[in-house]
Amino acid sequence: DEHHRELMHYTTVNGLEGIVTSGCLWATHAAFLNDSDEIHHFIDGPFKKVVFAEVRKFCMEWAANNAQDPHMTEEKTREIAAEFLERWRASIVENLDFFVFSMSRPKTEAVAAHGLLSQWRGYGHDGGYAIVLDAAGLDQLLQVEGKFNLCTLSRGPVEYLDDPNVPEIDDVQRGIAGMLRGEMEDDVAIRFYRAITTLLWQHKHWGFEEECEERIVAAPPKKDVAEYAAKDGDKRQPKLPKTFVRGGLPVPYLELFAGLPCGPYRLPIKRVIVGPHRDQALRIGAVRWLLAANGYTGADVHGSAIPYLGR
């Protein structure tokens, strides 16, 4: 997108050092993100509306074809829809593990140059850093990352609408209608799966809208799915999650771009913004040394001009 050629990833000094020295981006399991109900916003919002509408339509057809079945009341219809919804929720939680690497699309030139105050506040007195990445360069890496067996690998913006008006909703509607009637054709099933696996991670609570989030999302296959694919001739290696400790809790993550044949310094880092801090000048010099020591000689480093010094 010509309007969003740069994407910003806010992080701590440890995150900055890890990204620069490893050449990898860590995608965290969705259950451990700041939004505790991450994937449920779509299920309890647009997906629920579509499910209830299609189940009601199906039940009305059933009643009409069965001499106005007296048992098919409005209350019974809602019970069937609620059960259908909960089965899908359980299936999604059990079968899909989304790993997310979050970035931000700067809305203005000022934000692109100096970052968001809300993000700097989030790092308190320890300050923070914004790694500015080239969007086109990320897409090139994602193409190569496709050598691994992943159910989903996508980059795109987050939607903060309660009822997103997107084409994928139509694919969801057709898929649910097909399942209810036992008439799920292959192309409908494929489009339904793609729509679900996109909208689940793309839908987020409106309270986070200021962040203008852009995401890279990866979903590795479960063990049995990977084994089935291998038997069916899929020679791609599955990408296995690892864990790091945060607050005494082991957090699952995926290493994106690890082991790709692109040389040791492959991330498209354009520049690093050092957040507001009393020692900002010293930090700018340290980050320049860190980048140069790891081969990012063309990346610029400057400090945010936002006058915030934390607590």
Side-chain angles (χ1 to χ4, degrees), residues 279-287:
D279 296 325
Q280 189 183 64
L282 183 62
R283 291 181 169 212
I284 291 172
V287 172

Side-chain angles (χ1 to χ4, degrees), residues 138-259:
L138 282 177
D139 287 342
Q140 291 175 358
L141 289 181
L142 287 170
Q143 292 294 326
V144 185
E145 185 78 357
K147 77 170 191 173
F148 291 101
N149 183 2
L150 294 165
C151 297
T152 295
L153 182 63
S154 303
R155 178 179 75 83
V158 167
E159 297 285 349
Y160 299 96
L161 303 175
D162 289 335
D163 192 3
N165 183 22
V166 293
E168 288 89 347
I169 290 293
D170 294 335
D171 293 330
V172 172
Q173 179 268 325
R174 283 189 286 269
I176 293 173
M179 278 185 284
L180 290 171
R181 292 163 178 80
E183 302 170 352
M184 181 75 95
E185 298 178 359
D186 287 347
D187 63 325
V188 174
I190 291 171
R191 293 175 69 89
F192 174 78
Y193 175 80
R194 287 177 177 169
I196 287 290
T197 53
T198 299
L199 292 171
L200 277 169
W201 64 260
Q202 206 173 41
H203 193 68
K204 193 167 182 176
H205 192 277
W206 58 265
F208 295 87
E209 186 171 2
E210 183 197 30
E211 297 175 356
C212 294
E213 187 177 350
E214 182 103 2
R215 292 176 160 183
I216 295 175
V217 178
K222 295 290 187 177
K223 183 179 179 181
D224 56 340
V225 176
E227 290 175 351
Y228 179 83
K231 290 180 181 178
D232 201 37
D234 191 339
K235 299 186 181 302
R236 295 176 301 165
Q237 292 296 314
K239 177 155 280 195
L240 302 177
K242 300 181 178 181
T243 60
F244 69 91
V245 176
R246 183 175 65 194
L249 185 70
V251 178
Y253 73 96
L254 282 182
E255 281 186 341
L256 297 176
F257 315 136

